[in-house]
Structures are given as structure tokens and as C-alpha cells.
Amino acid sequence: MKLVRSVKQMAALTAGYQQQRRRVGVVPTMGALHEGHLSLIRVAREQNDIVIVTIFVNPLQFGPQEDFKRYPRSLTKDRRLAAATGADLVFAPSITEIYPAGFQTGIDVGELVARWEGASRLGHFRGVATVVAILFQLTQPTNAYVGQKDYQQSVVIRRMAADLRFRCRIHVLPTVREADGLAMSSRNASLRPAERRQATVLVQALELARTRIQAGAGDAGPLIDEMRQLISAATSARIDYVAIVHARTLEPQWRLHGALAILVAVWIGRTRLIDNILVDVP
Ligand code: AMP
């Protein structure tokens, strides 16, 4: 498996793959690879000739008070995992390769980023959309693979790729979870043992919502209250938001009807966790 650290070398390889008409599958990540990332790499392996995993902890998508410095980094282990899962190439550029001196362009996706993660983390999606556009430009994917775990991000990346006419199909794959239901995340490693136990309140609240909706609940308001109560019972939990939204527009839905996404963002101690489920109510 190749390790590529320079933009120039990546662009040269991409030109070759294009000339050979290879199907290129790209999995963008910030590293600290876990089973969630590996599930994306496995599907990419099945559907493409060349599988590229990008590893880049993108400073542009972290706020000034966020955990950029603390974010876990483990390139040696990541390379081994990516290779063992079938990747052909890891593209792990430095910050100055992606943002050389003088860099100033940003990509702003519109209303989709006004709420939820976009409201809690100002500038976050500008950072995400900008780096993903650069990575797509450098790798020219036929297919790109992202996780439902970051649901709003998946919707934003789809919009950006469509608006900028990337000829790339975006695949959104299911969230991989720990045995107790906690969504896998590189950030889970920063939970203390007691916090780790309490972190399951996110998935419990989502499962409660699914159960209530399947039983015929019609109004979002009381359901959100009930979810908030369940989460707040955990002593280390501080809710950022609990929302029931339209799965495509991400606008709040007060009637539980149609394609819904149920989103939660909760601080557990010093660690901010997000999770979601999709529910279709015919
Ligand atoms: P990250 O390295 O956290 O930026 O994530 C890179 C990609 O992996 C994103 O598309 C995430 O949505 C996806 N991902 C992260 N965690 C999971 C998970 N538990 N299950 C599935 N995909 C995930």
C-alpha cells in the first residue's frame, strides 16, 4: 500500500488512474481509524479498482475552543489498518500541503448548515466542505464513502458535490456501533470509564424515539421532552440539542410524518458526542 504525503504526487497518481479509466473510491477521514471507518473502506474495496483513504485532521473544521490539539493521531496504526482492510493508498498530507501560504478560499453551503452542528460549531461546515472539495479535486473519486454517523455532514457533502458538479457518487453507510450501542467515534477514547458508561444515553434516547414513533406517536414536542429527560438523568450529560428534522432539508418537523432524521448532540464531561437515526413514517 502506498503512503502519499504530497499534493503533487497525489495529483500525478490521479492523472494516471484517470488515463487508465480506473474506478477510484475515496474514504475521507481524520484518522484514528476504527471499525466505522473500516466499514467504509470495505465497501469501497468491493466497488472500485483503486481505494484511497485520506487522513487529514483538518484545522479549518475545528473552532478555536475545540479539540484540534487533543484530537487523536495514530498514522502508523492507521496505515496498517487501512492496508489490512484493502486500501491501495493512504493520502496523508501535512497542513501546509493542503493550505499553503496565501490560501484563502472557502466553500459555504447555504441553509443546510444554519442549524444543529452548523449552529453549535460556527465555521465547522465551511471547513468540512472546503477540505472535502480539495480532496475530491485531488483524487477525482468515482465514488466517495461517508458515514451516517455524521448525518448533517453527509447531507452537506452531497449538496456541495452536486452544486460543484463533482462527478462523484456519494455513498452514505450505516453507523457502526459498540456492543452496547454507542456509535463508534475517535472521540470515545477521551471518555473516562464512568462517562463511557453514561454515553449510551444518546443511543437510548434515539431508540426510545424509534419505539414511540413506531407505536404511533404523532407530535415531536412531547417526544423530544421525553428524550431530553432520559439523557439528563445521566449526571455527566449536558444536552446541546435534541431535534427531529426532515431527513433532506434538516428543518424541524413538529408532526412525526415522512422521512425523519432524529439528531442528538450531548456533552459527556468534556467530550461532545453526536448520534442520529433515520425513521420513515408512511
Ligand atoms: P472522521 O474521521 O470522524 O472525520 O470520520 C470519517 C468518516 O467516517 C466520516 O464519513 C464519518 O461519518 C465516518 N464514520 C465515523 N464514525 C463512524 C461510525 N461509527 N460508523 C460509520 N461511519 C463512521
Side-chain angles (χ1 to χ4, degrees):
M1 191 194 68
K2 282 194 184 62
L3 173 68
V4 175
R5 306 222 60 161
S6 88
V7 158
K8 201 170 155 193
Q9 192 191 354
M10 189 66 250
L13 287 164
T14 294
Y17 300 145
Q18 289 208 292
Q19 207 166 32
Q20 298 155 14
R21 300 191 167 277
R22 304 291 193 100
R23 291 168 302 169
V24 174
V26 172
V27 181
T29 82
M30 298 206 298
L33 300 184
H34 51 63
E35 197 51 44
H37 302 113
L38 302 186
S39 71
L40 305 181
I41 300 173
R42 280 190 203 104
V43 176
R45 179 70 282 163
E46 287 166 13
Q47 301 180 345
N48 300 277
D49 303 311
I50 303 288
V51 173
I52 301 176
V53 176
T54 70
I55 297 183
F56 182 63
V57 185
N58 175 29
L60 223 61
Q61 72 187 67
F62 288 80
Q65 308 301 325
E66 291 185 6
D67 55 354
F68 175 68
K69 288 219 175 78
R70 223 161 60 95
Y71 199 86
R73 289 163 174 85
S74 51
L75 184 59
T76 312
K77 186 176 168 208
D78 289 349
R79 280 170 68 180
R80 188 160 41 74
L81 287 171
T85 315
D88 298 297
L89 189 161
V90 162
F91 178 43
S94 65
I95 293 177
T96 49
E97 281 289 309
I98 296 296
Y99 304 120
F103 185 96
Q104 25 186 304
T105 301
I107 294 176
D108 288 310
V109 177
E111 285 166 24
L112 287 174
V113 311
R115 298 179 195 269
W116 323 126
E117 290 305 282
S120 293
R121 307 181 65 190
L122 292 179
H124 170 67
F125 284 122
R126 179 175 221 255
V128 170
T130 304
V131 81
V132 172
I134 294 169
L135 293 170
F136 282 7
Q137 183 60 26
L138 294 172
T139 57
Q140 297 290 322
T142 319
N143 297 293
Y145 300 85
V146 302
Q148 187 196 313
K149 156 78 181 14
D150 300 280
Y151 184 69
Q152 186 174 16
Q153 171 172 282
S154 75
V155 177
V156 166
I157 290 175
R158 275 217 162 118
R159 184 77 261 157
M160 179 280 292
D163 289 352
L164 298 184
R165 297 344 186 250
F166 279 107
R167 290 204 321 234
C168 166
R169 186 155 165 225
I170 312 287
H171 303 255
V172 182
L173 302 185
T175 303
V176 177
R177 298 177 179 281
E178 302 286 355
D180 63 1
L182 177 66
M184 287 194 188
S185 162
S186 310
R187 291 191 167 94
N188 294 349
S190 29
L191 296 168
R192 296 154 184 239
E195 293 171 349
R196 171 63 190 79
R197 288 192 291 276
Q198 296 194 0
T200 54
V201 289
L202 282 86
V203 65
Q204 284 164 11
L206 294 170
E207 286 307 329
L208 170 76
R210 192 200 300 280
T211 305
R212 292 285 185 267
I213 291 173
Q214 281 170 352
D219 290 317
L223 178 51
I224 290 173
D225 289 343
E226 204 186 348
M227 293 173 71
R228 295 184 70 101
Q229 271 173 27
L230 185 156
I231 295 168
S232 304
T235 51
S236 340
R238 186 161 57 79
I239 295 173
D240 184 346
Y241 60 79
V242 173
I244 301 184
V245 307
H246 189 288
R248 282 176 294 278
T249 66
L250 308 181
E251 291 297 313
Q253 298 294 290
W254 298 110
R255 289 292 304 157
L256 297 170
H257 176 74
L260 303 173
I262 309 185
L263 312 174
V264 295
V266 179
W267 287 93
I268 302 286
R270 286 178 67 200
T271 308
R272 188 171 177 283
L273 300 179
I274 59 173
D275 199 353
N276 69 85
I277 56 169
L278 299 176
V279 184
D280 228 325
V281 190

